[in-house]
Every structure is written in C-alpha cells, then in structure tokens.
C-alpha cells in the first residue's frame, strides 16, 4: 500500500518520473482567480480556459465532477469541483464539500490508473475553501493511496 508523501516545493512542478496529475479544488460557480489556481495560470493557460469553457457549456459542471486538462506530454491538471460557491453559506459552513471531494477522488483514481500516473497536489481544499486537512487526507488515502496510486502533497 502507498502512503502520502509530503514534500516542500511547488505543486505546479511535480517531482518524479512518469505521467503526473496535478489535482486542485474548483468552485461550482465558474470563479477562477484566487489561491492555487493563480500558480496554475502562471504556468499554463489551458486549465483556466478549459474550466471557463466547461462552466459556460453547463455540461456536467457540478460538484464531484473532474475535468482533465493535458498541459505537457506527461502532465495533466485535474479541475475537481469540490467547493460550493466561494464564500461561506448562510449557515456559516465553509465552501468545501467533502462528499464532492470524495466523488471527485473516485473519478481521479480511475483516470490515474488509466494513465499509470502519480497524483500531486497542495493541501487541497484547506485554503480558501475552508476545509480541514484531517478530513481531506483520509479521502485521498481511501481513494488513491490505498488503491496503489502514489500521491505527493506539496507545502511551499
């Protein structure tokens, strides 16, 4: 069984050999412009463009869905919709939706296996989305590392 590797570094520059998927959390209202997405947009144009196109199309653009964007011959960015809006709801709940993250990770597992890819990420869902790593980490473990997919988490 794999375990999550924690490293200091930039998740937009994934370490290691072979195909790699960089996953991050997106919101369900088409907003892109703060947090980790800025680092992605500084490195590649396609993840943001494809995300906006996906939002405008309305085709399967909902919580729990994942859009794969190939940005280099062996690197994909996974836009995972795991956040409801960009601000806490009237009930005070943060934007993160753990069930949506779980559903997205189930899809990501299949994509990673098909590509024979490792998965790379910052501590997703724990910045602007307001999530807690102690809730996100078990979702990653169950759906990725326990399924044999290597995962690296980057802290700047």
């Amino acid at each position: 069984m794999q375990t999550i590797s924690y490293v200091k570094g930039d998740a937009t520059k994934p370490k290691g050999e072979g195909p790699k998927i960089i996953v991050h959390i997106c919101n369900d209202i088409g907003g892109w412009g703060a947090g980790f997405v800025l680092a992605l947009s500084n490195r590649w144009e396609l993840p943001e463009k494809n995300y906006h196109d996906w939002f405008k199309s309305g085709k399967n653009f909902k919580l729990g869905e994942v859009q794969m964007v190939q940005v280099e011959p062996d690197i994909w960015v996974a836009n995972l919709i795991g956040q409801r809006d960009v601000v806490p709801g009237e009930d005070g709940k943060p934007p993160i939706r753990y069930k949506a993250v779980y559903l997205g990770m189930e899809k990501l597992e299949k994509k990673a296996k098909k590509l024979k890819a490792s998965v790379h990420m910052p501590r997703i869902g724990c910045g602007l989305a307001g999530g807690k790593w102690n809730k996100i980490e078990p979702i990653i473990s169950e759906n990725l590392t326990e399924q044999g997919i290597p995962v690296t988490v980057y802290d700047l």
Side-chain angles (χ1 to χ4, degrees), residues 142-154:
E142 181 179 339
N143 287 288
L144 300 178
T145 56
E146 291 176 17
Q147 307 308 317
I149 297 165
V151 174
T152 303
V153 173
Y154 296 77

Side-chain angles (χ1 to χ4, degrees), residues 21-132:
I21 299 170
I22 301 168
V23 64
H24 70 109
I25 300 295
C26 297
N27 61 65
D28 65 349
I29 62 167
W32 182 291
F36 182 67
V37 297
L38 296 177
L40 287 171
S41 291
N42 284 337
R43 191 146 167 87
W44 304 287
E45 294 177 9
L46 271 182
E48 178 178 3
K49 180 193 178 309
N50 288 14
Y51 170 78
H52 287 303
D53 290 349
W54 185 24
F55 172 71
K56 287 175 195 159
S57 80
K59 291 182 183 160
N60 218 23
F61 188 90
K62 62 185 180 186
L63 288 166
E65 291 301 326
V66 178
Q67 178 190 53
M68 296 290 288
V69 182
Q70 189 167 6
V71 293
E72 291 185 19
D74 65 344
I75 299 177
W76 288 259
V77 171
N79 293 331
L80 189 162
I81 303 178
Q83 180 181 324
R84 172 72 195 107
D85 207 332
V86 293
V87 295
E90 289 181 19
D91 57 5
K93 279 182 158 180
I96 192 72
R97 294 295 181 263
Y98 297 109
K99 182 176 181 180
V101 174
Y102 190 95
L103 292 171
M105 286 295 164
E106 285 182 323
K107 292 174 177 79
L108 190 61
E109 180 234 342
K110 291 173 180 57
K111 293 173 188 300
K113 283 186 172 173
K114 184 177 179 184
L115 294 168
K116 296 179 174 52
S118 55
V119 175
H120 304 260
M121 67 188 81
R123 291 187 190 240
I124 59 171
C126 295
L128 298 171
K132 303 286 184 216

